[in-house]
Every structure is written in C-alpha cells, then in structure tokens.
Amino acid sequence: MTPDTAQSGQKSSQFLTWGVSLAIFSAAFAATHFIAFKRDVPIDLPPLIDRTFRMFHGQLPYRDFYCPTTPGTYLVQAFLWKMFGATVEPMKIYIAALNGILGVLLFGFLRRLKVAALPSLLFTLLFLAWSPNTLMSHPWYDSDASACALVFLFCLHRALKEEGLHWSLLAGVFSGLAFQFKQNVGMACVLLLAAVLLFELRNKDRWKALGLSLIGSAMIIAPLFAVYAAKGSLPDLLNWTFRYASESKLARFGSTSGFVLSPLHSLLYARGNNMFLWLWFALYGLATVLIEYRIFSATDEELKKDARHWRLLNAVSFLVTYSLMISNAGLVYQIHMIFLWVPILSLYRYFPVGLKWKNSALALVVAALVFQSLRIGFLRKRFT
C-alpha cells in the first residue's frame, strides 16, 4: 500500500466517523425533541419548573425552599431562562442536545475501545433507546448527573490507559459536576475515582493522578459550599442534601443496611413490575462470570490485562447505578438502564460464540428495544 493510499484510507475513515457522529447527534436530537414533552404535563416537570422559577428569581435552595438534591439541574435551567426566555422550549432543546452529545461521545468511546463500527453504532442506539430523556419523555433530576457520570467513566478509562495526567484531572472535574447535579452520584464517582486510581494505576505517577483527580473534584464542589457558607446557609445545605435525605430513608427502611439493600428488597419482595431489576443483576452477574473466567483461563498477559480493565468498568458502572437506585429507595426508573451497555458490551466481547452470531443477536436486541422505546414514548406511558 502506497503512502497516498494509506492517507486516503485514513481520511475516508475519519470522514465516515464524523458522518456517523453527525447522524447520531441529529437522530438523537430529533427523537428526543419530538418524543419528549409529549404529555400535557410531563412527569416531574412541575417541581423542576417550580425550583427553576425560584432560582431564576434569586431564591436559594434549602434556605428558601425544599430541594432533595444538589441544585445543579435547576441552576442550568435558570441560566437557560435568563439567556433565552422563561419558557419550556430552551429546556427541551437543552435536553435534546445533551442526548445527542452523549450519543456521539459514547460512539467515539466505543471506537477507542476498538469495537467495530457496526457494533459501536448498535450499542449507541441501545444507549439512546434507554436514555431517560428519550423514553421517559421529560428532563428530570438524574439526567444531568448521569451524563456527567458517563463522561467521568470515559475519562477514567483514559486515565487508566495512562494517556496523560490531564485525564485524571478531567475525571475529577466530571465527578464534581455529577455531585453538583446529584449528591449521591457525585460522591460515588469521587470515591470510586480515588479508589481506582490508588489501587489500579501502577505507574510512578499514581499519587500525582490521585492528587489531580481530587483537585478536579474540589474545584467544582468547593464553590457550592463556599456560596452557602458566605450566605450563612451551609447548615441548610448539609442538612437537606445529606442528613435529611439519609434520615428519611433510614426511617423508612429502619436501618442503614435496609436502606443500602433497598434495591435487593425491591427485587425479592416488591409487587409489580421489577423485571428490570432481574435483568440488571443477571447481566452484571453473567458479565462478571465471563470476565473472571477470561482472567483465570487466559495465558496471554495482554488478554488478562484487557479483562481486568473490563472488570473495573463493570464494577464502576454497577456501583454508580446502584447509588442511583438506593437514592430512589429501590424504585426502578429508566435512568438505571443508562449504563447497561457496559455489561452487555462485556458479554459481546467475552461470550464464546462467533462474531456473526454476536452481531445478529445484538441487532435483534437493539431493534426490539428501540421499537419499545419509541412505542412507549409515543403512547405517552411511563415505564417503571
């Protein structure tokens, strides 16, 4: 192959990637914009608008009104109101654009993991079909936090691949942003980031990476506490986001263990539709078995290293999702599906069947889920 031919092939590949990315963004934006807000009053939209309205007029969460989460979501919406007018339209465009950007990021992330173009596209469609913004037909409190947690996962992957200390800093920044939108998701990301860098990063820069990640988190989280301290309302922030949230859940479940194990309780004893919980635990369980088998049986050190990396990605996505679940007392919300592409991709990589069978099965699963997503969106039903 001549240098000119190689360069031409590389340009064609880049052009194709950019073209697919643009198509993903456009499709995600259009689907979200036309499916979202189909209800006359979308679920959870009134409290979102109420808290946004209050912040828009200068009120402070916790001091002036009740708020169950850190205030990032309402602050973003209030900013959009100031920029584009106090209507629902900028909120719709924001959530649609967020969905499109996440789709493009996920596609790029999968390609960096050396997943072929077709499976990468299928996994991106799977992610978008399960996105709460598309399926649940409204922008709600967990959307921003989950978006930041997803980007955090991308950055953590790059940091573990030792592609530069700036990835550790960025992972810290996005874990801090996740905290600004929802405290339990952010704290899960911060703690997981510190633990992963401390115990998994093997190079000489481990302590630098850990320090930079914590600096990144602190840069984003500290201003929130500083603002409340300056206004004399720091006790309100701590009470409503940590103490009250914990005590109300503890009162409901009777103990810390009951609170933490609420998803398991919901799985085993709750009436109604808890099929998702069975699916969730089954996928992560099967993925874990296959990954551990690969680590145990592989003779090539690179294969073992790759499997350990996937073990880590599965563990982080599992724990971040679990932190979302316990905040909702074990209730099954569509947001909990947002990271399911991780164990499914692990099964795709390690399940002992031919590639043709894997691609066919993946295409069928994605087609069924996308159809279900669109059907539920247009029928204006809530899936719980």
Side-chain angles (χ1 to χ4, degrees), residues 281-292:
F281 281 106
L283 285 172
Y284 273 107
L286 184 55
T288 299
V289 169
L290 291 175
I291 290 170
E292 294 303 324

Side-chain angles (χ1 to χ4, degrees), residues 34-53:
F34 291 113
I35 292 175
F37 297 90
K38 279 290 180 180
R39 306 163 193 263
D40 294 329
V41 182
I43 298 166
D44 285 354
L45 184 61
L48 176 63
I49 290 178
D50 176 66
R51 290 165 191 155
T52 299
F53 177 83

Side-chain angles (χ1 to χ4, degrees), residues 239-289:
N239 177 61
W240 288 106
T241 56
F242 293 105
R243 182 182 170 190
Y244 175 80
S246 300
E247 286 181 352
S248 63
K249 296 290 170 56
L250 290 176
R252 178 175 176 182
F253 290 98
S255 66
T256 303
S257 60
F259 169 40
V260 172
L261 297 176
S262 57
L264 290 174
H265 182 275
S266 180
L267 173 70
L268 296 173
Y269 303 112
R271 296 180 180 178
N273 187 357
N274 60 2
M275 285 300 295
F276 165 70
L277 282 172
W278 286 105
L279 172 69
W280 190 73
F281 281 106
L283 285 172
Y284 273 107
L286 184 55
T288 299
V289 169

Side-chain angles (χ1 to χ4, degrees), residues 291-323:
I291 290 170
E292 294 303 324
Y293 176 75
R294 174 59 64 91
I295 293 172
F296 176 77
S297 63
T299 54
D300 185 88
E301 192 56 39
E302 280 302 312
L303 290 177
K304 284 182 180 285
K305 185 177 179 182
D306 182 71
R308 290 192 192 100
H309 185 68
W310 279 96
R311 172 207 272 167
L312 192 61
L313 288 178
N314 272 273
V316 170
S317 64
F318 178 93
L319 291 169
V320 170
T321 306
Y322 201 86
S323 73

